[in-house]
Amino acid sequence: MYKPKLDTLQVNRDMITVFGGYRNNKVIDENCFTFEENMSSDSFPVFSPRNKRAFFNVLGESLHGLFSRNKICYIKDNSLYYGGEKISGIYFPDTERKRQFVSMGAKVIVFPDKFYFNTADFSDYGYLEAEFNSVEGTNVTASLCKADGDSYGDYTISATAPENAVNGTLWLDTSITPNELKQYSESISGWFSLAETYVRITCGGIGKGFKQYDGVFISGMSEDSLNGAHILRDVGDDYITITGMITNTINQTAKITVERKIPDMDFICENGNRLWGCNSQNNEIYASKLGDPTNFNCFMGISSDSYAVSVGTDGEFTGAISYRGYVLFFKEACVHKIYGMNPPYTVNTSYIRGVQKGSGLSLVIVNETLYYKSPKGICAFEGGVPVCISQDLGDEYYTDGVAGALGDKYYICMSDKYKKRHLFVFDEGKRIWHREDEMNILEFATHNCNLYFIAEIDGVKRLCLADGVNRYGNFTNELSGYVEEEDFPWYAESGPWGLSVPENKYYSKIVFRVYGKKGSFVKIDFQTDLNGKWETQKELRLDKTGSFVLPFISPRCDTLKIRISGKGEFNIYSISREIQTGSELNV
């Protein structure tokens, strides 16, 4: 009696206007992408590729040691370059050694070479350590003296006090051990011990390379009390003065050695006008004398002293950085935080996610937050408990993180389990990730609001600029010229659309609202029901600059994935979708 009635297919319309970046998870928002290459958040919420890079004419197999202090600094072919200028006279013999640079005032410190150079005076450079070795057979003399190195003159050496003493008479009392130098005072009608006595060691050239109040180690003296650690109270080219006591003047021709030593340090940083470092083998933390990176063994009991402490935690040190006025020394499972303005400092240990071994160069401050690669992801740290921010990078285990900062962005290059490198960028303000490419970046340096890096390209290391020479308008090419990157390929692959709707569906109309520069190219592929087969739906090479609409229709399916790829400057402002749902049957 009644004809059958067909149900009308339900039509839903939605629009994607905010593109959320990289999320390599099984289920993601439909405005995000599971795979990316060369994408960026610069035009957020618009979908857009990254800016072009620049490649400098600074390249070579031995290029390394990138650093910034007023000008770009690096080591190339065993020589040091500052602002593109080779500094005459400085030579680094080991081309493969990984180096750390730290700035202290006008000086730049280079480790593990224990070397410094003055950026205000290129003639001022040298090694932090100093050593003097006398020639066997050369005369070495040691005698009691005053603090300024002058001789005491005549004094009596005996176990009993001299008779008929007058005011100022000196007596070396040998009746007690250690011996004491005493002086007669008429005001008290008796003898009093001099608070400190000094020994002047004389030998041709012994004082060259040292300065007053250096902490040194002496060996080879026939009087054993003069060997060991000492503070130089006075220095001249041919003599040094130390605190000590000897009974008689010493003359010897045996070889002696005077050394100003710098500890071997795995990681270094500057804080409070001191050079700080740590040593995993000894499990120790060190700080230099105030304002003096050449002295780590100056212990005079004053506020400017050097500092050293052993820590009891297990494992190797994995990184160090100065953060918010404190020094942080990381291991994989903890961080040691140094409190205090002067020695003795307080070391506070927190057992938190630390820095992954091999990722010490991932420690970077973006705005006021410290970021680093931990064994379990990338962490944001503000002094308390670190927070993992890398959930969007998926379950892949990454290692060997190297990072840099530019504006609100944290750049980090890491290796996956196949040793393939990946460059990811986290936008702190927008809280989204993007993946750029597989460039093998070895070191970063932020300079003049630009991010430089050294990358290995076709087997050769090259100095590059991360984000375009015209990005901030303050780029100055202090180096030896550059070439700007040509148009590069980019792509983004969505996650499966439609997982939240159980019925089969038609995407009856999908419209891309795009803008591109003349000469740019774009291609849109789709994949249905996760079958692994990509079908090209649209290809467009722009013959003019402008805005365009790219519509297409999908077949009936349960899920749909979109891959957008192209080359050149291109933006997607929105994706509008009309979705018609059908039955749950796959017919």
Side-chain angles (χ1 to χ4, degrees):
M1 184 173 184
Y2 298 100
K3 294 182 179 180
K5 185 177 180 181
L6 296 176
D7 293 334
T8 303
L9 292 178
Q10 182 178 355
V11 178
N12 297 311
R13 294 179 176 86
D14 66 15
M15 181 174 288
I16 298 173
T17 58
V18 177
F19 295 91
Y22 179 86
R23 289 187 189 175
N24 188 16
N25 304 122
K26 288 183 171 60
V27 179
I28 66 171
D29 295 338
E30 294 187 353
N31 66 333
C32 297
F33 302 93
T34 56
F35 298 100
E36 279 188 348
E37 185 163 310
N38 290 322
M39 302 310 298
S40 170
S41 62
D42 285 340
S43 301
F44 180 85
V46 175
F47 173 100
S48 65
R50 62 169 173 82
N51 288 316
K52 292 182 178 180
R53 297 166 179 157
F55 303 97
F56 294 96
N57 299 333
V58 178
L59 67 164
E61 294 182 0
S62 65
L63 178 65
H64 64 285
L66 188 62
F67 183 70
S68 171
R69 191 204 173 279
N70 297 331
K71 295 182 179 181
I72 283 289
C73 175
Y74 55 86
I75 297 172
K76 179 179 178 292
D77 298 331
N78 308 99
S79 297
L80 183 67
Y81 289 78
Y82 184 68
E85 178 182 349
K86 180 179 178 179
I87 301 180
S88 178
I90 297 180
Y91 179 82
F92 293 95
D94 189 345
T95 59
E96 300 303 321
R97 175 180 285 184
K98 290 186 177 181
R99 289 177 168 88
Q100 301 178 66
F101 287 66
V102 167
S103 176
M104 282 190 66
K107 292 181 179 178
V108 173
I109 314 299
V110 185
F111 259 71
D113 304 87
K114 304 176 184 179
F115 187 87
Y116 79 92
F117 73 97
N118 192 329
T119 59
D121 179 5
F122 288 175
S123 65
D124 179 15
Y125 61 84
Y127 288 95
L128 302 178
E129 293 183 315
E131 183 176 345
F132 169 80
N133 291 285
S134 68
V135 178
E136 191 79 27
T138 301
N139 190 51
V140 178
T141 302
S143 58
L144 276 180
C145 68
K146 300 177 183 177
D148 59 5
D150 289 344
S151 173
Y152 277 114
D154 295 331
Y155 55 88
T156 301
I157 304 173
S158 67
T160 58
E163 298 179 358
N164 304 319
V166 298
N167 194 50
T169 298
L170 293 173
W171 165 40
L172 182 59
D173 186 356
T174 60
S175 66
I176 55 177
T177 303
N179 301 160
E180 287 186 0
L181 185 63
K182 298 180 178 180
Q183 190 172 40
Y184 187 80
S185 172
E186 291 182 349
S187 63
I188 63 172
S189 298
W191 298 89
F192 66 91
S193 298
L194 299 181
E196 280 191 306
T197 56
Y198 305 92
V199 175
R200 176 177 173 136
I201 303 174
T202 304
C203 183
I206 191 173
K208 292 181 179 179
F210 300 100
K211 60 185 181 298
Q212 190 179 32
Y213 303 125
D214 274 354
V216 300
F217 293 88
I218 299 175
S219 60
M221 293 297 299
S222 59
E223 171 58 50
D224 192 56
S225 66
L226 301 182
N227 295 318
H230 294 276
I231 304 297
L232 300 185
R233 301 294 177 165
D234 190 32
V235 176
D237 285 352
D238 299 324
Y239 73 90
I240 57 174
T241 301
I242 61 174
T243 302
M245 167 60 70
I246 56 176
T247 304
N248 297 295
T249 298
I250 297 171
N251 287 283
Q252 69 176 69
T253 57
K255 176 184 174 181
I256 72 163
T257 298
V258 183
E259 298 176 278
R260 186 181 66 227
K261 297 181 180 180
I262 305 295
D264 296 329
M265 294 185 281
D266 303 326
F267 299 95
I268 59 172
C269 66
E270 183 276 335
N271 188 75
N273 201 22
R274 297 177 188 266
L275 179 63
W276 291 79
C278 57
N279 181 290
S280 295
Q281 183 176 357
N282 299 328
N283 220 18
E284 291 178 338
I285 293 171
Y286 313 100
S288 73
K289 182 180 176 181
L290 182 66
D292 186 358
T294 67
N295 268 291
F296 281 79
N297 296 286
C298 186
F299 303 104
M300 301 172 63
I302 58 178
S303 62
S304 61
D305 274 354
S306 309
Y307 174 74
V309 65
S310 296
V311 296
T313 53
D314 293 333
E316 300 177 17
F317 288 103
T318 55
I321 194 169
S322 174
Y323 179 60
R324 294 189 177 183
Y326 301 98
V327 188
L328 305 180
F329 290 99
F330 284 91
K331 296 186 176 183
E332 284 202 325
C334 69
V335 59
H336 299 286
K337 187 175 183 180
I338 311 297
Y339 289 87
M341 299 297 293
N342 298 299
Y345 295 97
T346 299
V347 181
N348 176 268
T349 302
S350 298
Y351 289 89
I352 60 173
R353 285 167 290 180
V355 174
Q356 183 185 51
K357 184 179 179 180
S359 295
L361 292 180
S362 69
L363 283 160
V364 172
I365 298 170
V366 180
N367 296 326
E368 291 75 40
T369 302
L370 175 62
Y371 294 90
Y372 60 86
K373 174 69 177 71
S374 78
K376 297 182 179 179
I378 297 168
C379 291
F381 182 73
E382 295 184 336
V385 177
V387 177
C388 182
I389 62 165
S390 58
Q391 295 89 343
D392 290 346
L393 302 188
D395 297 330
E396 181 68 55
Y397 182 73
Y398 293 102
T399 59
D400 303 318
V402 176
L406 180 63
D408 290 341
K409 292 182 179 181
Y410 176 71
Y411 287 70
I412 182 165
C413 185
M414 302 179 289
S415 299
D416 62 21
K417 61 184 177 182
Y418 303 107
K419 301 302 179 183
K420 182 187 292 185
R421 300 289 279 173
H422 300 268
L423 176 60
F424 294 100
V425 182
F426 177 69
D427 191 314
E428 183 185 68
K430 304 175 182 69
R431 311 302 296 178
I432 59 176
W433 285 93
H434 279 289
R435 180 185 177 276
E436 291 202 356
D437 56 12
E438 298 174 4
M439 182 165 284
N440 182 17
I441 297 178
L442 308 174
E443 298 173 82
F444 284 97
T446 303
H447 173 65
N448 200 23
C449 295
N450 290 284
L451 183 61
Y452 293 76
F453 62 88
I454 292 176
E456 189 171 10
I457 303 172
D458 298 327
V460 177
K461 297 174 185 176
R462 188 164 190 174
L463 182 60
C464 313
L465 191 66
D467 207 23
V469 296
N470 298 315
R471 175 75 191 277
Y472 292 98
N474 57 357
F475 171 74
T476 55
N477 183 24
E478 61 191 35
L479 307 173
S480 58
Y482 66 90
V483 292
E484 195 168 30
E485 187 178 18
E486 296 180 354
D487 287 344
F488 51 85
W490 50 263
Y491 80 88
E493 179 182 319
S494 76
W497 292 352
L499 288 176
S500 60
V501 180
E503 299 86 5
N504 283 299
K505 54 198 77 71
Y506 296 96
Y507 287 88
S508 57
K509 184 185 292 185
I510 302 177
V511 179
F512 288 76
R513 184 72 177 180
V514 304
Y515 175 90
K517 285 285 185 73
K518 180 180 178 179
S520 59
F521 168 81
V522 65
K523 182 174 74 167
I524 299 174
D525 302 321
F526 66 78
Q527 180 187 128
T528 58
D529 298 332
L530 303 177
N531 62 14
K533 299 178 181 179
W534 290 98
E535 298 181 31
T536 299
Q537 184 68 24
K538 286 287 182 179
E539 287 187 83
L540 178 66
R541 186 175 298 278
L542 303 185
D543 57 4
K544 63 178 180 178
T545 298
S547 179
F548 304 88
V549 174
L550 302 177
F552 73 91
I553 300 173
S554 81
R556 185 181 187 188
C557 57
D558 178 42
T559 62
L560 181 72
K561 291 179 67 175
I562 298 294
R563 183 171 66 193
I564 310 162
S565 58
K567 194 173 184 179
E569 187 174 330
F570 200 86
N571 296 320
I572 299 178
Y573 287 90
S574 65
I575 303 176
S576 61
R577 305 179 296 180
E578 289 187 1
I579 308 171
Q580 294 182 346
T581 57
S583 70
E584 298 179 7
L585 299 177
N586 190 19
V587 294

